[in-house]
Amino acid sequence: MDILIKPIVTEKMTEQSEKFNRFGFVVNRRATKIEIKAAVESMYNVKVASVNTMNYQGKKKSRFTKAGAIEGRTASFKKAIVTLVEGDNIDFYSNI
């Protein structure tokens, strides 16, 4: 099972990482906090202090086309906010 899907790189998460040493990830919906902690520690060689998770439901969306109204949903996902131990850091921009 792939635990970490992608990092969340937004203005809000960048501010959180600078102030509180917290980093956000979109994770597998079935992943537990313990599995997320182990995945982050092994992938980025850091020490994790705590993990907070949030489940997001998909939103209902509709648009109007020539063929008529099309309705659907966006994907549901789970977000994890990982707080690192003081002194550790993750640099998402090093590979660019």
Side-chain angles (χ1 to χ4, degrees):
M1 173 167 67
D2 229 2
I3 305 290
L4 301 176
I5 296 173
K6 65 180 178 179
I8 300 171
V9 184
T10 59
E11 287 185 32
K12 189 173 185 179
M13 282 311 307
T14 304
E15 185 179 340
Q16 289 274 316
S17 66
E18 291 170 358
K19 284 186 178 179
F20 305 112
N21 210 17
R22 293 183 185 146
F23 298 88
F25 296 93
V26 175
V27 296
N28 189 319
R29 296 212 42 192
R30 296 183 185 184
T32 63
K33 291 183 179 185
I34 296 166
E35 293 171 340
I36 294 167
K37 179 180 177 178
V40 171
E41 286 179 345
S42 67
M43 183 174 258
Y44 294 105
N45 297 322
V46 293
K47 196 78 170 152
V48 174
S50 67
V51 177
N52 298 76
T53 59
M54 293 155 264
N55 284 310
Y56 285 91
Q57 288 292 91
K59 294 180 182 177
K60 222 174 163 182
K61 297 280 186 173
S62 63
R63 68 174 192 236
F64 297 97
T65 63
K66 282 191 220 176
I70 298 174
E71 290 190 1
R73 295 186 71 87
T74 60
S76 299
F77 64 97
K78 186 174 193 175
K79 182 164 86 171
I81 306 298
V82 177
T83 305
L84 301 181
V85 174
E86 192 67 36
D88 283 350
N89 196 8
I90 297 175
D91 186 18
F92 295 127
Y93 304 108
S94 64
N95 297 340
I96 296 176

